[in-house]
Amino acid sequence: MRLTDRRFALLLIAPAALFLTAFVAWPLLRFVSNAFYEISPIAGGPRTFVGFENFATAFASTAFQGAALRTIVYTLIVVALEFAFGLAVALVFAALGSRSAVFRTVFMYPLMVAPVVAGLLWRFLLIDNFGILNELLRRVGLLNSTDQIAWLSNPDIALFSVALPDIWLTTSFITLVLFAGLQNVPGDVIEAARIDGVRFPTLLFRIILPLLRPVIAVALIVRGIDAARAFDIILIQTNGGPQDSTTTLSLLIYRTMTRNGDPGLASAMGTVYLIGMLVVAAVAIFAIWRPGGDQA
């Protein structure tokens, strides 16, 4: 009977295993292996083994170094602001209880918007001279003219500007995850702390957040990886400009592959990119979640 059950289980997971092998494992293996070759951009062209030459070229490239730094800054901006706003809203929803049902539904609407649509929307809001945001700021007297703040044309603030749509789009996700985690925080612990006269900041940082460590780890890792690979939102708004100030690793790899016609170098950049995200995810798991610890 047990043997039959095992065979039945294998039959159930076989389609999923085949799918993952064909569409995830094999393309990933092929992608990583391409990093060790000089590949002709022409289909069926020659492949020449060059070892770690592509990796050396990538690390020596100022474009790659700059894109990596901008990717890190962009990810930190997006994830930090999303977590701060998401936690604040989740705490408000938890305090309101069932009365927040309608507000939660409305707050989740941005999750239904496609990133390309969000990029176009915020481009119209932030575009120079006749952007809606600058026009509103001018009307309330905060700006003297609509071209006073060049959101998407000033290299000093363009990276922050292209992060705004991402923050608006996915803060709802952080809120949803943290709100779900707050539902599992023991109410008697919170009530006992309040009876003992514990103030809210202490309650938040000493009790609530430590209990939410696994949830916070999941939220930060998922959103961190997602933000680090941002592509369509930035492409729609600035296409990596001005002066490459918003060119992240995703855009650089895309350009290296399509515009420069160098699949080997693009694969090397992407492999380093992948390893970097895996390392950051592992560090986040052990630093925040602390598997096996007393807070896990």
Side-chain angles (χ1 to χ4, degrees):
M1 188 64 179
R2 291 183 178 178
L3 184 59
T4 304
D5 291 341
R6 290 178 181 176
R7 288 178 179 176
F8 181 71
L10 289 175
L11 288 176
L12 287 178
I13 66 174
L18 290 175
F19 179 87
L20 291 175
T21 302
F23 296 101
V24 178
W26 171 246
L28 181 61
L29 180 62
R30 182 72 173 177
F31 174 78
V32 174
S33 66
N34 285 342
F36 298 93
Y37 291 86
E38 182 180 346
I39 305 172
S40 171
I42 302 175
R47 289 166 55 92
T48 305
F49 182 78
V50 294
F52 290 93
E53 182 178 328
N54 287 325
F55 291 95
T57 302
F59 282 115
S61 170
T62 56
F64 180 78
Q65 297 170 10
L69 178 60
R70 284 187 290 272
T71 301
I72 294 173
V73 173
Y74 178 89
T75 303
L76 290 176
I77 291 173
V78 169
V79 175
L81 292 179
E82 284 181 1
F83 179 76
F85 295 149
L87 177 62
V89 177
L91 290 171
V92 172
F93 287 164
L96 292 175
S98 59
R99 293 172 294 176
S100 66
V102 176
F103 300 104
R104 292 201 305 267
T105 302
V106 174
F107 194 74
M108 297 303 158
Y109 279 163
L111 285 175
M112 305 177 189
V113 179
V116 173
V117 176
L120 286 172
L121 172 63
W122 279 84
R123 183 178 181 183
F124 287 126
L125 289 174
L126 301 176
I127 197 167
D128 301 343
N129 298 326
F130 54 88
I132 299 175
L133 179 59
N134 278 1
E135 178 63 24
L136 291 176
L137 294 176
R138 186 191 65 81
R139 291 191 179 187
V140 298
L142 295 178
L143 296 181
N144 296 324
S145 62
T146 55
D147 60 352
Q148 190 170 345
I149 301 179
W151 295 100
L152 300 177
S153 300
N154 185 346
D156 296 330
I157 63 173
L159 189 62
F160 172 77
S161 300
V162 297
L164 292 177
D166 206 347
I167 296 170
W168 171 78
L169 194 65
T170 49
T171 296
S172 301
F173 169 78
I174 297 290
T175 301
L176 183 64
V177 173
L178 294 180
F179 177 77
L182 287 171
Q183 305 310 300
N184 295 320
V185 174
D188 53 347
V189 175
I190 304 298
E191 188 63 27
R194 289 175 177 172
I195 294 175
D196 291 340
V198 176
R199 295 186 177 183
F200 180 74
T202 303
L203 180 66
L204 176 63
F205 291 102
R206 294 294 183 89
I207 299 177
I208 296 178
L209 291 183
L211 291 174
L212 287 178
R213 271 182 186 154
V215 177
I216 292 173
V218 170
L220 293 184
I221 291 171
V222 172
R223 273 304 300 139
I225 293 175
D226 191 44
R229 63 182 183 85
F231 175 79
D232 38 12
I233 286 182
I234 299 176
L235 182 69
I236 289 295
Q237 292 183 97
T238 61
N239 195 25
Q243 302 175 19
D244 288 332
S245 60
T246 59
T247 299
T248 57
L249 281 174
S250 295
L251 280 171
L252 179 63
I253 294 169
Y254 168 76
R255 290 177 179 174
T256 304
M257 180 73 178
T258 58
R259 185 181 300 177
N260 300 338
D262 196 340
L265 181 57
S267 297
M269 291 179 176
T271 300
V272 174
Y273 191 19
L274 175 62
I275 294 173
M277 287 194 290
L278 290 176
V279 170
V280 171
V283 171
I285 290 174
F286 286 98
I288 302 174
W289 191 341
R290 300 179 187 175
D294 55 355
Q295 299 294 345

